[in-house]
Amino acid sequence: MPSLKSLRLRIVSVKQTRKITSAMKMVAAAKLRRAQEAAEAARPYAERMEEVLSALAQSMRGRPAAPAMLVGTEKDDVHLVVVMTADRGLCGSFNSSIVREARRLVRSLLEERRSVKILCIGRKGRDQLRRDYGTYIIDTIQDVGRPRLGFATAERVGRRIAEMFGTGEFDACTIVYNKFKSAIQQIVTRQRIIPFAAPAAERAEEETPAANAAVYEYEPDEEEILADLLPRNLAVQLFRALLENNASEQGARMSAMDSATRNAGDMINKLTLKYNRTRQAAITKELIEIISGAEAA
């Protein structure tokens, strides 16, 4: 049976841990509100950008001058997987769910005898993937959200990916991240960004086109628009994914810290009850010894 001193020290330790988890929960809740607003504000622009590119892709089909970033290369051998995770832990299953989906993607590509390159955005993704797929990791980008997550960060990452594609280092690129749905639910998302892949709703409309579908006319022509729009769309989709990931991280951390705070409270109650019982047993033992000594005398 543990001593009273060890129980007392453990209660103090758990109380200090509860203070930390409670503070982290409040900080995550404050950050979550701003991150959620930013993620929701970025969705309409990114979705509209996808719609415009879908219309351009339909008009560019079969043309020899179609950009490779839009229609892809003739080869499909080398795939770049961009794994977006956090730089810190203590956020429940946020990081592990993304890494699990990335592992499935990499495993399926290797089974198809394709070459794989992994670009990690966030330290936790690299730490979990390097044990099994360390040879495929080409680089890790850390601290993308410090001091503040801005579009310039996504532009830098997008410019690097575009340069790698331009030099023929890969043929297709897919990003894996968590899409924010609520503070307790995040959806692991796999999105192809190179070559451009139309959203599922767009593909469904292509298969069953509406009679009153809108017809777009472009000025200047499609090639000039795509030369500027494709790199911008790459940065926009990366920025949206980073914002969704940031909101999901804060939501997951708030939920995890809330659970940790409640678990710490339950543990304190159990330890306090055990401490009181141990203390009462010690007092009862001393009284029995005193009474027995008095009777013996």
Side-chain angles (χ1 to χ4, degrees):
M1 181 179 292
S3 64
L4 290 174
K5 182 179 179 181
S6 63
L7 287 172
R8 201 161 45 239
L9 291 175
R10 191 174 179 190
I11 290 172
V12 172
S13 175
V14 176
K15 284 183 177 179
Q16 291 175 347
T17 302
R18 185 175 62 174
K19 288 181 181 179
I20 294 172
T21 56
S22 179
M24 291 183 67
K25 172 191 170 183
M26 290 188 290
V27 171
K31 290 183 177 180
L32 172 62
R33 185 179 61 180
R34 295 193 297 269
Q36 181 179 354
E37 291 173 355
E40 291 175 348
R43 287 174 187 170
Y45 184 80
E47 291 170 358
R48 192 61 179 169
M49 179 82 77
E50 287 182 334
E51 292 177 8
V52 173
L53 278 176
S54 297
L56 283 169
Q58 293 180 34
S59 64
M60 293 292 293
R61 280 178 182 168
R63 295 190 187 183
M69 192 177 290
L70 180 68
V71 298
T73 60
E74 297 181 356
K75 301 183 297 179
D76 193 26
D77 300 332
V78 184
H79 283 247
L80 176 66
V81 180
V82 181
V83 183
M84 295 184 175
T85 58
D87 290 313
R88 298 185 300 160
L90 298 177
C91 48
S93 61
F94 170 78
N95 292 311
S96 58
S97 60
I98 297 173
V99 172
R100 190 160 48 245
E101 181 65 23
R103 287 178 187 273
R104 279 197 289 265
L105 176 58
V106 172
R107 195 180 305 116
S108 64
L109 291 172
L110 293 177
E111 289 174 355
E112 295 172 1
R113 299 185 181 278
R114 305 182 192 277
S115 299
V116 176
K117 295 181 179 180
I118 301 175
L119 175 63
C120 295
I121 300 180
R123 183 171 55 86
K124 288 298 180 179
R126 178 203 62 190
D127 293 344
Q128 295 187 39
L129 285 171
R130 65 181 175 184
R131 184 179 63 180
D132 297 327
Y133 302 108
T135 56
Y136 302 105
I137 298 175
I138 58 174
D139 197 7
T140 302
I141 302 174
Q142 301 182 42
D143 299 328
V144 293
R146 294 183 181 179
R148 187 175 181 181
L149 180 59
F151 186 69
T153 303
E155 277 188 318
R156 288 195 299 270
V157 178
R159 194 179 306 116
R160 177 176 180 180
I161 293 175
E163 290 174 356
M164 292 173 61
F165 181 73
T167 56
E169 296 185 35
F170 65 89
D171 302 312
C173 177
T174 303
I175 56 177
V176 183
Y177 64 97
N178 262 330
K179 185 176 182 180
F180 179 81
K181 186 174 183 180
S182 67
I184 60 174
Q185 185 178 7
Q186 299 85 35
I187 303 172
V188 182
T189 304
R190 184 193 302 182
Q191 181 182 354
R192 174 73 67 87
I193 56 174
I194 297 179
F196 172 75
E202 295 288 334
R203 290 194 292 268
E205 291 179 4
E206 291 175 14
E207 295 174 359
T208 58
N212 59 348
V215 177
Y216 293 93
E217 292 184 2
Y218 299 97
E219 180 67 30
D221 57 10
E222 290 91 336
E223 288 83 356
E224 293 185 31
I225 293 176
L226 286 172
D228 179 71
L229 197 60
L230 284 171
R232 183 177 295 273
N233 175 70
L234 182 62
V236 167
Q237 300 305 324
L238 287 169
F239 186 49
R240 177 176 68 168
L242 288 171
L243 290 175
E244 296 279 357
N245 227 36
N246 185 39
S248 299
E249 178 191 350
Q250 301 305 331
R253 178 168 289 113
M254 186 185 72
S255 298
M257 292 301 100
D258 179 61
S259 298
T261 302
R262 286 187 280 105
N263 291 338
D266 294 340
M267 183 176 291
I268 290 170
N269 294 334
K270 292 178 181 178
L271 289 172
T272 303
L273 181 61
K274 190 174 183 180
Y275 174 82
N276 291 335
R277 287 177 175 174
T278 304
R279 181 171 174 270
Q280 186 63 42
I283 294 173
T284 304
K285 182 180 178 181
E286 290 179 2
L287 288 173
I288 290 174
E289 290 176 353
I290 292 172
I291 294 171
S292 300
E295 290 178 353

